[in-house]
Short mmCIF file of all heavy atoms in Angstrom, two decimals:
data_model
loop_
_atom_site.label_atom_id
_atom_site.label_comp_id
_atom_site.label_asym_id
_atom_site.label_seq_id
_atom_site.Cartn_x
_atom_site.Cartn_y
_atom_site.Cartn_z
N VAL A 13 -3.35 2.36 10.75
CA VAL A 13 -3.91 2.47 9.40
C VAL A 13 -3.10 3.46 8.57
O VAL A 13 -2.88 3.26 7.37
CB VAL A 13 -5.39 2.91 9.47
CG1 VAL A 13 -5.95 3.18 8.08
CG2 VAL A 13 -6.22 1.84 10.17
N GLY A 14 -2.61 4.51 9.22
CA GLY A 14 -1.85 5.53 8.51
C GLY A 14 -0.60 5.01 7.84
O GLY A 14 -0.17 5.54 6.81
N GLN A 15 0.00 3.97 8.40
CA GLN A 15 1.18 3.37 7.76
C GLN A 15 0.83 2.81 6.39
O GLN A 15 1.59 2.95 5.43
CB GLN A 15 1.76 2.27 8.65
CG GLN A 15 2.31 2.75 9.99
CD GLN A 15 2.66 1.59 10.89
OE1 GLN A 15 3.60 0.83 10.63
NE2 GLN A 15 1.91 1.43 11.97
N VAL A 16 -0.33 2.16 6.31
CA VAL A 16 -0.76 1.57 5.05
C VAL A 16 -1.17 2.66 4.07
O VAL A 16 -0.83 2.60 2.88
CB VAL A 16 -1.93 0.59 5.28
CG1 VAL A 16 -2.29 -0.12 3.99
CG2 VAL A 16 -1.56 -0.44 6.37
N TRP A 17 -1.86 3.66 4.57
CA TRP A 17 -2.30 4.76 3.71
C TRP A 17 -1.09 5.49 3.14
O TRP A 17 -1.03 5.80 1.94
CB TRP A 17 -3.17 5.72 4.53
CG TRP A 17 -4.20 6.47 3.72
CD1 TRP A 17 -5.49 6.10 3.50
CD2 TRP A 17 -4.02 7.71 3.04
NE1 TRP A 17 -6.13 7.04 2.72
CE2 TRP A 17 -5.25 8.05 2.42
CE3 TRP A 17 -2.94 8.58 2.88
CZ2 TRP A 17 -5.43 9.20 1.68
CZ3 TRP A 17 -3.12 9.74 2.13
CH2 TRP A 17 -4.35 10.04 1.54
N LEU A 18 -0.09 5.74 3.98
CA LEU A 18 1.12 6.42 3.52
C LEU A 18 1.86 5.58 2.48
O LEU A 18 2.30 6.10 1.44
CB LEU A 18 2.04 6.71 4.70
CG LEU A 18 3.38 7.38 4.40
CD1 LEU A 18 3.76 8.36 5.50
CD2 LEU A 18 4.50 6.36 4.22
N ALA A 19 2.02 4.29 2.74
CA ALA A 19 2.73 3.43 1.80
C ALA A 19 2.02 3.37 0.46
O ALA A 19 2.65 3.42 -0.60
CB ALA A 19 2.89 2.02 2.38
N ASN A 20 0.69 3.27 0.49
CA ASN A 20 -0.08 3.31 -0.76
C ASN A 20 0.15 4.62 -1.50
O ASN A 20 0.30 4.63 -2.73
CB ASN A 20 -1.58 3.15 -0.46
CG ASN A 20 -2.04 1.70 -0.51
OD1 ASN A 20 -1.62 0.94 -1.37
ND2 ASN A 20 -2.89 1.32 0.43
N ASP A 21 0.18 5.70 -0.75
CA ASP A 21 0.39 7.01 -1.36
C ASP A 21 1.78 7.11 -1.99
O ASP A 21 1.93 7.65 -3.08
CB ASP A 21 0.19 8.09 -0.30
CG ASP A 21 0.26 9.49 -0.87
OD1 ASP A 21 -0.58 9.82 -1.72
OD2 ASP A 21 1.17 10.25 -0.48
N ARG A 22 2.78 6.57 -1.31
CA ARG A 22 4.16 6.64 -1.81
C ARG A 22 4.39 5.70 -2.98
O ARG A 22 5.13 6.02 -3.91
CB ARG A 22 5.14 6.30 -0.69
CG ARG A 22 5.14 7.26 0.49
CD ARG A 22 5.76 8.60 0.16
NE ARG A 22 7.19 8.48 -0.08
CZ ARG A 22 7.98 9.51 -0.37
NH1 ARG A 22 7.46 10.71 -0.48
NH2 ARG A 22 9.27 9.34 -0.56
N LEU A 23 3.77 4.54 -2.95
CA LEU A 23 4.04 3.53 -3.96
C LEU A 23 3.16 3.68 -5.19
O LEU A 23 3.54 3.26 -6.28
CB LEU A 23 3.85 2.14 -3.36
CG LEU A 23 4.80 1.77 -2.22
CD1 LEU A 23 4.32 0.50 -1.52
CD2 LEU A 23 6.22 1.60 -2.72
N GLY A 24 1.95 4.24 -5.00
CA GLY A 24 1.05 4.40 -6.13
C GLY A 24 0.53 3.07 -6.64
O GLY A 24 0.56 2.05 -5.94
N VAL A 25 0.09 3.07 -7.89
CA VAL A 25 -0.43 1.86 -8.52
C VAL A 25 0.28 1.64 -9.84
O VAL A 25 0.87 2.55 -10.42
CB VAL A 25 -1.96 1.95 -8.76
CG1 VAL A 25 -2.70 2.06 -7.45
CG2 VAL A 25 -2.28 3.15 -9.66
N ALA A 26 0.22 0.41 -10.31
CA ALA A 26 0.84 0.08 -11.60
C ALA A 26 0.03 0.66 -12.74
O ALA A 26 -1.11 1.12 -12.57
CB ALA A 26 0.95 -1.44 -11.74
N ALA A 27 0.62 0.63 -13.94
CA ALA A 27 -0.05 1.18 -15.12
C ALA A 27 -1.37 0.49 -15.40
O ALA A 27 -2.31 1.10 -15.92
CB ALA A 27 0.88 1.07 -16.33
N ASP A 28 -1.48 -0.79 -15.01
CA ASP A 28 -2.73 -1.52 -15.25
C ASP A 28 -3.74 -1.34 -14.11
O ASP A 28 -4.79 -1.98 -14.09
CB ASP A 28 -2.44 -3.01 -15.45
CG ASP A 28 -1.78 -3.66 -14.23
OD1 ASP A 28 -1.53 -2.94 -13.23
OD2 ASP A 28 -1.51 -4.87 -14.28
N GLY A 29 -3.39 -0.47 -13.17
CA GLY A 29 -4.30 -0.20 -12.07
C GLY A 29 -4.12 -1.10 -10.86
O GLY A 29 -4.78 -0.92 -9.84
N ALA A 30 -3.24 -2.10 -10.95
CA ALA A 30 -3.01 -3.01 -9.83
C ALA A 30 -2.33 -2.27 -8.68
O ALA A 30 -1.46 -1.43 -8.89
CB ALA A 30 -2.13 -4.18 -10.28
N ARG A 31 -2.76 -2.57 -7.48
CA ARG A 31 -2.17 -1.89 -6.33
C ARG A 31 -0.85 -2.54 -5.95
O ARG A 31 -0.66 -3.75 -6.11
CB ARG A 31 -3.13 -1.89 -5.16
CG ARG A 31 -3.65 -3.26 -4.75
CD ARG A 31 -4.77 -3.10 -3.73
NE ARG A 31 -5.41 -4.37 -3.42
CZ ARG A 31 -6.53 -4.47 -2.72
NH1 ARG A 31 -7.12 -3.39 -2.27
NH2 ARG A 31 -7.07 -5.65 -2.46
N ALA A 32 0.03 -1.73 -5.42
CA ALA A 32 1.35 -2.23 -5.04
C ALA A 32 1.27 -3.13 -3.82
O ALA A 32 1.96 -4.14 -3.73
CB ALA A 32 2.30 -1.05 -4.78
N ILE A 33 0.40 -2.77 -2.87
CA ILE A 33 0.30 -3.53 -1.62
C ILE A 33 -0.83 -4.53 -1.73
O ILE A 33 -2.02 -4.16 -1.82
CB ILE A 33 0.06 -2.59 -0.42
CG1 ILE A 33 1.24 -1.63 -0.25
CG2 ILE A 33 -0.15 -3.40 0.86
CD1 ILE A 33 0.98 -0.52 0.74
N THR A 34 -0.49 -5.80 -1.73
CA THR A 34 -1.51 -6.86 -1.81
C THR A 34 -1.67 -7.60 -0.49
O THR A 34 -2.68 -8.28 -0.29
CB THR A 34 -1.12 -7.90 -2.88
OG1 THR A 34 0.14 -8.51 -2.52
CG2 THR A 34 -0.96 -7.24 -4.25
N ASN A 35 -0.68 -7.48 0.40
CA ASN A 35 -0.70 -8.18 1.68
C ASN A 35 -0.24 -7.24 2.79
O ASN A 35 0.68 -6.44 2.58
CB ASN A 35 0.23 -9.40 1.65
CG ASN A 35 -0.22 -10.46 0.67
OD1 ASN A 35 -0.20 -10.26 -0.54
ND2 ASN A 35 -0.61 -11.61 1.19
N ILE A 36 -0.85 -7.38 3.95
CA ILE A 36 -0.44 -6.63 5.13
C ILE A 36 -0.11 -7.62 6.24
O ILE A 36 -0.89 -8.54 6.51
CB ILE A 36 -1.54 -5.66 5.61
CG1 ILE A 36 -1.82 -4.60 4.54
CG2 ILE A 36 -1.15 -5.00 6.93
CD1 ILE A 36 -3.01 -3.72 4.87
N VAL A 37 1.05 -7.45 6.86
CA VAL A 37 1.43 -8.30 7.98
C VAL A 37 1.75 -7.42 9.18
O VAL A 37 2.50 -6.45 9.08
CB VAL A 37 2.63 -9.22 7.64
CG1 VAL A 37 2.25 -10.21 6.56
CG2 VAL A 37 3.85 -8.43 7.20
N LEU A 38 1.15 -7.73 10.31
CA LEU A 38 1.48 -7.03 11.54
C LEU A 38 2.64 -7.77 12.19
O LEU A 38 2.48 -8.55 13.12
CB LEU A 38 0.27 -6.97 12.47
CG LEU A 38 -0.81 -5.98 12.03
CD1 LEU A 38 -1.96 -6.73 11.35
CD2 LEU A 38 -1.35 -5.18 13.20
N MET A 39 3.82 -7.53 11.64
CA MET A 39 5.05 -8.18 12.07
C MET A 39 6.15 -7.17 12.32
O MET A 39 7.32 -7.53 12.43
CB MET A 39 5.52 -9.20 11.02
CG MET A 39 4.60 -10.37 10.80
SD MET A 39 5.30 -11.54 9.61
CE MET A 39 3.99 -12.75 9.50
#
């Protein structure tokens, strides 16, 4: 879970509030 939390923290959100991460793949 921490990988996703970190990536969200690093990438932030767009000006319109849309999140950068829309899909997660365990690959």
Side-chain angles (χ1 to χ4, degrees):
V13 174
Q15 295 171 68
V16 185
W17 208 93
L18 178 144
N20 268 320
D21 185 62
R22 297 288 292 181
L23 297 168
V25 296
D28 61 359
R31 54 190 173 191
I33 298 170
T34 62
N35 295 67
I36 296 173
V37 295
L38 287 101
M39 295 183 182

